[in-house]
Amino acid sequence: MKVLVCIKQVVDAHDTVSLDEAAGRLTFAPKSVFRMNRADEHALEEALLLKERLGEDVEIHAVTVGPPRAASVVRRALEMGATGCVHVTVGDDGQPDPSTTARALAACVSRGGFDLVLAGVMAEDDMAGVTGQLVGAYLGWPCATSVVAIETLSPGGKVRVTSEIEHGYRALREIALPAVLTIQTGINQPRYPRLSDVLRARTMSPETIPLDELVPHQRIGNAPKVAKPASSRQGIVLKGTSLEKARALVDILREKALIP
Amino acid sequence: MDMRVYIVGETLGGRLTEETMDLASFVHSAYGRMPDACFLPSCKGDDAAHELAGLTGSTVHLLRSGDDLCPPGRALAEKIAAIIGEGRPSAVFLAQRFFGLELAPMIALLLDAEILTGVVAASGWRFTRQVYGGRFVEHTQPARDRVVCTVFTSPRRHVALEHPSRGRVLVHEAPPADDRARLVGILEPAVSTSPLPEAEVIVSAGRGLGGKENLHLVEELASLFPRSAVGASRGACDLGWLDYSRQIGTTGMSVSPRLYIACGISGAVQHTAGIRGAQTVIAVNIDDQAPIFNVAHIHVVEDLKTFLPALIDEMRKAMAGRNLG
């Protein structure tokens, strides 16, 4: 069975991102650190757990679509134990929209003969939460989102998955492979790389494919303009030292009869 | 712009969900009119369909479907796309929930539409979506003349029609469910032992707390209030600091305490959706740009590790003084 895990590189701390208001785009500070999107890390871990359960004939590959710096997340996937990885390259700091990304990922799936695609439920930066479903839709495969448990019914044939709905409801579905699953955070605890895998990863290099080669006829949409949200701030801002703020807050709590 | 506006509603147990009415009101406030047509996938939603027709004065397509909570796959999307058909520019709105996020991408693909998720506002052909946990927004004007959006609905005053019309309901038989994704069952929420629903004061921990070793500060602060409980953001639960029964937000619990203290919670809409019922919200966060401050009544921009001990200390002094006096 071949499993493809879709991972994205995101900026670690959102307060290192600033807005160029004139250009309507975001810029990263020199100190910005980039890492694997958390939900994707859970997706990769889930794939590695599948391999542990089902045995050595499961191959786990990781793929990312992103700028040159995104190479570090597929390398990280190798260190965590992926068999191989692909970096679909785009220029500079660019990140294509979810539809283009999904078309590139679907093309990778077709090239590689995969049976199962795992992706994180949502990226922390653009918060689209839709790339996995689009990969499924482009491939014509069933897709289950927000998965919090995977049970293998027959290797390469069928999986039983639990999806998280709102307010504590969960859906239990049997999904015939090939299929796409989007993985919710908290499904597992992602591992730290073992030294042996780190050393193995050093001897490997990701396969790189330019985005234009995978998606030759990209539809050019209107680039979104980024802005600050319309401020709805109406609260009282406490001023002073830490102690002064604590005292002011105690007074407010008293006034509101929230403490005796 | 001459465009058609559609919504895809939801039912639960045969009843129209609150989010469906929020969606209709969202369309009304964005476009000054009710949706041109509504789709309602539902297993037994006849009454709900008539209610929605009465509420909107629009045509409601009741699509009989296997289960209310889980969309039956591509066949449903095909049915909706076929009814929308060719022709004028159109915008389709669904609620940003499990149901909508599974269904919307397929509808978009079939309509050759752009898909926009996390939408918080719309005006004409301009759509606003949240990014970076609500720290920024993106304004998009789709190049294509069709768009499918999932919307963060918020409870708003439901718009009533000035001249109520009964609308009309058209019933479509169930598209066959995709047997490659067979629904085995819906698991109901476990009977909760969570103290959150009963609590008058909730002190919640988020990733900004820095580590599990600081959780005692949140617990200690909570313990100073009568009828209090400790809550958490999804992030704090994912890190294993607190059990998921403490999680507040769209995939956790909705709470309505008298006082809510958010400690180190950035305040993405997925979390704040769960605290709309709170009377007073205090946010403590070192990052003054954190979106939690958009909903907080009292803002404390401080490092939790120094502020919480100071607050606990001052509260103890104040309460001791009161007891003596």
Side-chain angles (χ1 to χ4, degrees):
Chain A
M1 181 156 96
K2 282 185 83 175
V3 183
L4 184 66
V5 186
C6 309
I7 57 184
K8 184 178 186 182
Q9 189 190 50
V10 295
V11 66
D12 182 42
H14 288 178
D15 59 4
T16 65
V17 181
S18 52
L19 176 64
D20 176 347
E21 292 198 34
R25 61 188 293 268
L26 295 173
T27 53
F28 299 112
K31 64 169 182 177
S32 288
V33 173
F34 296 88
R35 58 163 167 81
M36 196 184 298
N37 182 53
R38 286 196 187 97
D40 305 346
E41 208 176 350
H42 287 280
L44 177 59
E45 177 63 30
E46 203 54 28
L48 296 168
L49 291 173
L50 271 179
K51 184 180 166 75
E52 286 174 8
R53 286 209 299 269
L54 299 177
E56 286 302 312
D57 57 345
V58 178
E59 271 185 45
I60 312 290
H61 293 258
V63 58
T64 195
V65 180
R69 62 173 153 74
S72 70
V73 294
V74 278
R75 180 152 295 284
R76 173 78 180 178
L78 290 175
E79 292 175 352
M80 282 175 71
T83 319
C85 67
V86 179
H87 181 186
V88 179
T89 51
V90 299
D92 302 335
D93 262 355
Q95 188 71 51
D97 66 19
S99 302
T100 306
T101 301
R103 286 174 68 193
L105 294 171
C108 288
V109 172
S110 304
R111 281 188 175 199
F114 290 94
D115 309 286
L116 177 63
V117 176
L118 302 185
V121 71
M122 182 187 280
E124 293 151 42
D125 52 4
D126 68 11
M127 298 175 78
V130 80
T131 306
Q133 295 93 303
L134 287 171
V135 174
Y138 284 125
L139 292 168
W141 291 4
C143 174
T145 66
S146 208
V147 169
V148 291
I150 304 177
E151 195 188 329
T152 321
L153 296 180
S154 59
K158 213 174 239 188
V159 287
R160 178 179 279 204
V161 302
T162 308
S163 290
E164 191 179 65
I165 309 178
E166 289 78 17
H167 308 305
Y169 285 92
R170 284 167 298 155
L172 195 60
R173 281 180 285 186
E174 281 181 12
I175 310 282
L177 302 187
V180 179
L181 306 178
T182 78
I183 306 298
Q184 180 58 279
T185 56
I187 186 173
N188 51 39
Q189 282 298 327
R191 67 193 62 194
Y192 286 101
R194 290 180 304 196
L195 182 62
S196 59
D197 281 324
V198 173
L199 295 175
R200 182 186 59 98
R202 274 192 200 161
T203 66
M204 301 167 72
S205 49
E207 180 191 353
T208 57
I209 311 174
L211 176 67
D212 299 340
E213 189 186 316
L214 281 182
V215 189
H217 304 290
Q218 285 165 42
R219 303 172 77 144
I220 307 300
N222 294 332
K225 288 263 182 267
V226 185
K228 284 243 157 69
S231 177
S232 48
R233 293 187 179 203
Q234 294 173 332
I236 303 161
V237 182
L238 301 187
K239 303 255 198 275
T241 64
S242 198
L243 185 61
E244 284 162 353
K245 286 176 191 166
R247 286 185 176 148
L249 193 51
V250 170
D251 289 342
I252 293 171
L253 292 173
R254 261 231 172 104
E255 269 168 41
K256 290 182 179 280
L258 285 160
I259 50 172
Chain B
M1 183 172 191
D2 178 27
M3 62 187 276
R4 308 273 294 170
V5 180
Y6 302 92
I7 65 169
V8 181
E10 291 171 53
T11 65
L12 183 56
R15 303 180 59 153
L16 213 53
T17 60
E18 195 72 13
E19 287 81 3
T20 303
M21 296 194 272
D22 295 339
L23 207 54
S25 298
F26 175 89
V27 164
H28 192 273
S29 65
Y31 295 100
R33 65 176 208 263
M34 282 296 184
D36 296 298
C38 309
F39 296 95
L40 195 64
S42 178
C43 50
K44 48 176 194 292
D46 293 72
D47 292 347
H50 284 99
E51 189 190 341
L52 186 58
L55 205 77
T56 57
S58 317
T59 300
V60 175
H61 298 276
L62 175 62
L63 305 154
R64 288 203 200 284
S65 154
D67 189 275
D68 289 352
L69 284 167
C70 196
R74 193 181 170 97
L76 176 61
E78 281 171 353
K79 189 88 197 174
I80 292 172
I83 295 170
I84 291 173
E86 304 289 317
R88 283 194 277 177
S90 51
V92 184
F93 295 94
L94 300 88
Q96 170 103 3
R97 286 157 57 85
F98 176 79
F99 195 95
L101 283 171
E102 286 220 341
L103 190 57
M106 285 186 283
I107 301 175
L109 201 69
L110 292 164
L111 289 176
D112 193 28
E114 281 192 33
I115 177 139
L116 297 172
T117 55
V119 169
V120 290
S123 167
W125 204 242
R126 184 171 184 263
F127 303 88
T128 303
R129 49 183 309 275
Q130 276 198 348
V131 295
Y132 286 90
R135 180 178 289 268
F136 302 108
V137 293
E138 277 182 2
H139 300 296
T140 303
Q141 289 186 289
R144 280 177 257 175
D145 65 358
R146 289 173 163 223
V147 64
V148 175
C149 301
T150 60
V151 178
F152 280 118
T153 58
S154 54
R156 52 188 82 218
R157 209 162 46 81
H158 291 145
V159 184
L161 287 176
E162 271 178 43
H163 306 289
S165 126
R166 292 173 57 198
R168 60 176 180 149
V169 175
L170 300 176
V171 182
H172 305 266
E173 275 321 304
D178 187 343
D179 59 5
R180 294 174 307 162
R182 194 173 67 82
L183 182 67
V184 179
I186 297 289
L187 307 174
E188 304 255 334
V191 175
S192 176
T193 53
S194 173
L196 293 173
E198 303 298 322
E200 287 192 2
V201 175
I202 296 174
V203 186
S204 277
R207 279 182 186 273
L209 200 58
K212 195 173 183 178
E213 66 277 11
N214 299 323
L215 189 63
H216 72 96
L217 294 171
V218 169
E219 291 167 339
E220 214 170 319
L221 178 59
S223 72
L224 296 177
F225 295 94
R227 289 181 292 283
S228 64
V230 172
S233 69
R234 175 154 204 128
C237 295
D238 285 345
L239 287 165
W241 297 351
L242 284 146
D243 187 77
Y244 284 98
S245 64
R246 303 288 178 146
Q247 188 201 330
I248 293 165
T250 45
T251 53
M253 278 193 188
S254 294
V255 294
S256 12
R258 287 177 64 204
L259 174 63
Y260 188 80
I261 307 181
C263 301
I265 293 177
S266 66
V269 67
Q270 285 87 345
H271 181 77
T272 56
I275 60 168
R276 285 193 189 115
Q279 284 173 28
T280 301
V281 176
I282 299 172
V284 187
N285 204 306
I286 187 123
D287 173 14
D288 67 348
Q289 295 300 309
I292 190 75
F293 291 121
N294 291 333
V295 298
H297 305 100
I298 298 159
H299 301 193
V300 183
V301 181
E302 276 291 334
D303 183 346
L304 289 156
K305 290 200 291 294
T306 54
F307 179 73
L308 290 185
L311 178 62
I312 290 164
D313 207 35
E314 286 305 307
M315 275 184 64
R316 284 226 169 93
K317 276 191 216 160
M319 290 159 81
R322 182 56 57 101
N323 290 342
L324 287 175

